Amino acid sequence: MPSRNRAGSLLAHEDTTENQSPNSNRRNMSLVSAHQLRFLCQPRKRHLHSHDTRFIRRKGNEGIMCSSNGGRREMERFRGERSNRRYYELLGVSAGSSLQEIKEAYRKLQKKHHPDIAGQKGHEYCLMLNEAYKVLMKEDLPNDHGSVRMPFGMQGSKPSFYSSWNGPLRSQALFVDENACIGCRECVYHARNTFVMDEDLGSARVKLQYGDDLQKLEVSVELCPVNCIHWVDLEELEILEFLAQPQPKDGYGVFGGGWERPPDVFSAAKSLIKELRHETAANNAHANPKEETPAQAQARQQESVEIKMESFSAIWKLLQVFGLKLGDTK
Amino acid sequence: MANPSYTVASDNETTADEKVSSPFPDLAIGIDIGTSQCSVAFWNGSRVELLRNTRNQQHMRSYVTFKDEIPASGVSNQLSQEHEMLSGAAIFNMKRLIGRVDTDPIVHASKNLPFLVQTLDIGVRPFIAALVGNVWRSTTPEEALAIFLVELRAMAEIQLKRPIRNVILTVPAAFSRFQLTRIERVCAMAGLHVLRLMPEPTAVALLYAQQQQQNVHDNMGRGNEKTALIFNMGAGYCDVAVTATAGGISQIKALAGITLGGEDLLSNTLLHLLPESRNFFCSGHGIHEIHIMGILRMATQDAINRLSFQNSVQIDIDLGNGVKICKVLERKEFEWVNLKVFEKCENLIKQCLHDAKVYVEDVNDVILVGGCSYIPRIRSLVTGICKRQEVYPGINPLEAAVCGAALEGAVASGISDPFGNLDLLTIQATPLGIGIRTEGDIFVPIILKGATIPARRELTFTTVHDNQTEALILVYEGEGRKVGKTHLIGHFKLIGIPSANKGVPEINICMDIDVSNVLRVLAGIKMPDVQWPVCPLMEVRMPTVDDGHGWCEEALNRTYGSKLDLVTLQKKTHM
């Protein structure tokens, strides 16, 4: 597994550092340079690149995608998708972690590995931590703390947890509460174009909204023995489908770990919508000062004055022309 | 042929020291050498303690007197200080002069000090001398500081009853890398090994982190992240830092500094009181002129100090020869005279907040330290920008930096405290970007401003001319798009590039800053179809420039021009 490889090479780095005698600083220094040599010599980035794209593509089918939210900049997102996964692993946090969690994990690791504490051998590790932190905190903007990163900006890559649409968008959509689903397959038999069985998870899911005609859909909803198929509003659908994806759970040594989804998707969705609204409102309130440096503000001010002057001079010219014309007619 | 291992070993002044000192892990003490005052602190096992000199002072004036055969410093003798300042035998303000060339405006401003500062305005180090007997005896800021540090060290060794080797020094954020190496050299001259050079506000940030940590312990609560703005203005330098603190970790979000301080306030006020003092020393550096200058400085200093507590101050100076200054100086007048200084402070704070991407509303605490923090205008200015009434009360403005340095000394020496008082960490950030010059004098930063230390980043460049086999790597530090606004800190030549069309060879430049702020630059050459570098890599420890670095850049330009230039290889640019 590529991921294992990354972690492995990381450990290898650490091992080599520890094997060397740590009491001589001079030696350590040359060691650092040896590391650097390796960094430079290996066509590291390219190698990594090919690995990671493959990795993400495969994972993408399972729908555990993580990226910077909201498609802020195309370039950034592209890079983010490529390597974020590795960074999350390094920091030991799950892919959907909040900024606060990332921060705490980063600080916890820094306390262990910072060269002030761990000595020179912490240098390499710390470099990686810093890079991971920098990338993952790209959205470390004020009032953003604790928000969940939503992969909404990436319908383009079509992870299969999201349903697609047959025909025009409608206000209502179907959603299967996979926690309640017992995997009876009734719905899949009756509307095979709409529903699909996830054999791994043992539950049904909507693959294509309105894939069959309305009557068939009604029947399958009725037939569900545990009434786990719901008609939901369009705006809720996306959030529900996002939340229905199993997320990796924090592990504590050999305990815990694995995957989980919220026990009650609907209430989780409600609170998430609220949070998102709050956040966008807060962001909007702050949108302007964030973008401008004082210098830019000044430049803009000057610009606007110039523009005003320009329009003024245009009017002036117009007047002059008219004046001339008037003079002519006289 | 340049040989990498040779290049690395060439300028390592401190490596040998490190090797000797590491086997016995002794506790590093913190030293804050200020432009005007200096103090020493250490971790005594349960808390930070400040050392006192034989005169029971915690803050010692930073000056060195050249009187007899053996120079004396402000550590031990204090009584005759006033007299000596008037006699021209005392050298002070070393920190403002260190590592500067004689074209620097700061050096020119220092010509009014009551000792000899001579400039030739050609970009070499200024000539500094103290008057001993009737002889101008030359010295350097480095030497004066080293003499001072030797006495500090002797004092600490007597009191702590053990040899002192490792120190943590606080430095202004505005120091260039060249100046930092000068400070390291000073310490080496004094027999001290610098474990870390900490920018002053980050030392304060560490102290703040410890206090927050203690508060959390006391309240048995879970610590939330707190953001603090630290404004430090001493006699010579002014620095600002924004720090995020949680669980004893102080993470520096932005750091900025300029050369601006009480010394500027003093000289502005002096000019205001006696406009002809600007050209005072033009006629010559006689004993009489030095005497007058000394009196003027002391009287002005005293007036500024008193203006911090009262609204107006009566100044009566008798300069002899029937010249007298009798004036009432209002606080408003003082503020008006120094309007530019305060404006610069304001801009610095705003810039720092902007760099940190922090809104003033999100700043939890505002910390004011340094001697100038007593000036009412400075207080109102900082509180005004941060939109609050009060500044953080728990920090002594004069002791904060040295206490922080002592804490870092204990942490970096690997000492742990059973009560968790040393469960601390400071995560530093670079105050300036570091990069190289490319075609058209463009400065391409490789390590960006505000990068977390340790930092490493690499960029790929390529040749500008066909069949270019050599490349000149000029390393600069600073901000801006053109190299004109930045400092040259090092240069080396990369040879052995295979001849090829321009844009084909890939020249990989990697910069690495370790936690003691040592900068290494690595350069390697790669051809597109070859997997391994075509010749041995170069590893260069920066800075490589020396005292004549004012000339260096010009000479390089004159000799090489753009013949050996590089340009960024856009498609290969990695983060």
Side-chain angles (χ1 to χ4, degrees), chain B residues 441-499:
Chain B
D441 279 351
I442 304 285
F443 169 69
V444 177
I446 296 181
I447 287 187
L448 304 173
K449 180 185 172 180
T452 314
I453 295 175
R456 175 188 291 153
R457 192 160 166 254
E458 58 186 68
L459 273 180
T460 308
F461 297 86
T462 191
T463 50
V464 178
H465 307 288
D466 288 338
N467 298 326
Q468 182 180 347
T469 56
E470 296 182 336
L472 192 63
I473 314 283
L474 298 179
V475 182
Y476 285 84
E477 180 180 54
E479 292 170 77
R481 235 180 78 78
K482 292 274 188 178
V483 291
K485 288 181 179 173
T486 54
H487 288 285
L488 178 72
I489 55 169
H491 49 83
F492 62 96
K493 199 158 79 169
L494 197 60
I495 50 177
I497 305 171
S499 16

Side-chain angles (χ1 to χ4, degrees), chain B residues 204 207-212 214-215 365-369 379 390-401 403:
Chain B
V204 179
L207 181 67
Y208 173 72
Q210 193 210 22
Q211 293 187 349
Q212 293 308 309
Q214 277 171 346
N215 286 348
D365 284 307
V366 177
I367 302 170
L368 262 177
V369 288
R379 293 181 88 85
E390 289 299 316
V391 296
Y392 182 72
I395 276 185
N396 179 333
L398 296 180
E399 293 172 7
C403 291

Side-chain angles (χ1 to χ4, degrees), chain A residues 10 13 87 90 123-133:
Chain A
L10 190 131
H13 266 264
Y87 294 140
L90 184 68
H123 183 63
E124 290 294 327
Y125 192 82
C126 224
L127 281 171
M128 281 190 272
L129 276 183
N130 283 345
E131 191 181 337
Y133 182 72

Side-chain angles (χ1 to χ4, degrees), chain B residues 504-520:
Chain B
V504 173
E506 290 173 19
I507 291 154
N508 203 325
I509 308 234
C510 173
M511 290 195 178
D512 179 286
I513 300 179
D514 77 4
V515 80
S516 2
N517 206 10
V518 173
L519 169 68
R520 287 192 184 76

Side-chain angles (χ1 to χ4, degrees), chain B residues 281-320:
Chain B
F281 284 138
C282 277
S283 51
H285 252 76
I287 294 180
H288 178 63
E289 280 91 359
I290 291 172
H291 191 79
I292 290 177
M293 210 52 188
I295 291 177
L296 264 174
R297 274 184 67 89
M298 279 192 293
T300 318
Q301 182 69 59
D302 182 54
I304 294 175
N305 286 350
R306 276 192 286 153
L307 276 180
S308 296
F309 306 101
Q310 54 204 65
N311 278 322
S312 66
V313 59
Q314 170 74 34
I315 299 172
D316 288 300
I317 313 174
D318 184 5
L319 297 176

